[in-house]
Amino acid sequence: MNENLSGHGPAASVPEEVKRWSWGAFLLSWIWGIGNNTWIALLCFVPFVNLVMPFVLGANGNEFAWRNRRWESLEHFHKVQKAWAVAGVAIVLTLSVGSVALIGGVVSAIYSTVTASEPYKLAIAQLRGNTEAQALLGNDVKSGWISNTSYDQTDGKVDAVIDVSVSGSKGSGQLHITAKKTNSKWWLTACQLQVDGQDKRIDLMENKI
């Protein structure tokens, strides 16, 4: 049986079973480094170096940990490093889910705000009341992805631009809306439908039922 030389520094021999990828070191970098007396992991705070350090730690972390900290046995070492790996995966998954939820919340808030706005309601009314649009999209038109929205306020007047996808049982397209607000009242300055697969833009300000 090989002698346990863990914690003896750079000169300590490392068992072959230790020489493998460390997910705990890769995912938790400097946090793992502090917990394993591996201070080189603090280079993760150095600009540019931090781009490669997680990979350095992933490839060499187990060896660093074996040399820099005293372990009761090889089994003890593997048990602790497995716990670090599980913690790393759990934290990454939690952060990922949280980020997705945050982005989803922001998108949902933007969508709700735009679809509740007066320019949007006026444009949808124009769309649903246009015979040509009905023939191409169908009578059951619904809005989808909002690709652009902006509001510019100057001298008490507000200019709005909204681009939103729309679809129905017969087809889909992009709705381009520009509107202006003066004296607390909104009115459309342009409302056009670009049907998918066609070059022509339909002016929804005309040809109403």
Side-chain angles (χ1 to χ4, degrees):
M1 180 178 294
N2 292 332
E3 182 182 359
N4 183 352
L5 296 177
S6 64
H8 283 64
S13 61
V14 179
E16 287 300 317
E17 302 94 317
V18 171
K19 298 177 181 179
R20 62 181 65 173
W21 182 267
S22 172
W23 283 108
F26 176 72
L27 295 172
L28 298 177
S29 59
W30 64 270
I31 300 174
W32 174 93
I34 293 174
N36 289 273
N37 295 341
T38 303
W39 309 114
I40 192 175
L42 297 180
L43 289 176
C44 287
F45 291 107
V46 178
F48 301 111
V49 178
N50 58 3
L51 298 177
V52 299
M53 277 309 298
F55 298 95
V56 172
L57 293 173
N60 303 284
N62 280 341
E63 296 181 52
F64 290 153
W66 180 264
R67 289 186 171 119
N68 296 333
R69 179 179 167 183
R70 178 64 180 174
W71 303 92
E72 296 175 4
S73 63
L74 191 58
E75 291 73 17
H76 175 229
F77 173 84
H78 286 313
K79 182 179 179 180
V80 172
Q81 295 308 315
K82 182 179 180 179
W84 277 106
V86 170
V89 171
I91 290 174
V92 169
L93 288 177
T94 300
L95 292 175
S96 298
V97 171
S99 298
V100 170
L102 177 61
I103 293 172
V106 171
V107 171
S108 178
I110 293 173
Y111 182 83
S112 298
T113 300
V114 172
T115 55
S117 68
E118 193 64 23
Y120 173 85
K121 292 179 180 179
L122 291 171
I124 291 297
Q126 292 290 117
L127 175 64
R128 289 174 176 168
N130 187 280
T131 55
E132 189 175 1
Q134 287 182 2
L136 292 169
L137 301 183
N139 297 323
D140 55 342
V141 176
K142 297 180 180 179
S143 60
W145 180 258
I146 298 170
S147 58
N148 178 46
T149 177
S150 64
Y151 290 83
D152 181 29
Q153 183 171 356
T154 55
D155 299 328
K157 299 179 180 180
V158 183
D159 292 306
V161 177
I162 301 172
D163 291 308
V164 58
S165 64
V166 290
S167 62
S169 57
K170 295 182 179 180
S172 60
Q174 297 292 320
L175 186 61
H176 177 69
I177 308 162
T178 61
K180 187 179 292 289
K181 183 181 182 181
T182 55
N183 298 324
S184 301
K185 183 178 181 179
W186 282 103
W187 49 282
L188 296 175
T189 55
C191 186
Q192 298 176 324
L193 173 65
Q194 176 71 61
V195 179
D196 292 343
Q198 296 188 14
D199 295 329
K200 178 185 176 182
R201 270 195 173 190
I202 302 172
D203 186 356
L204 299 176
M205 305 289 283
E206 302 175 354
N207 190 31
K208 296 192 296 180
I209 293 174

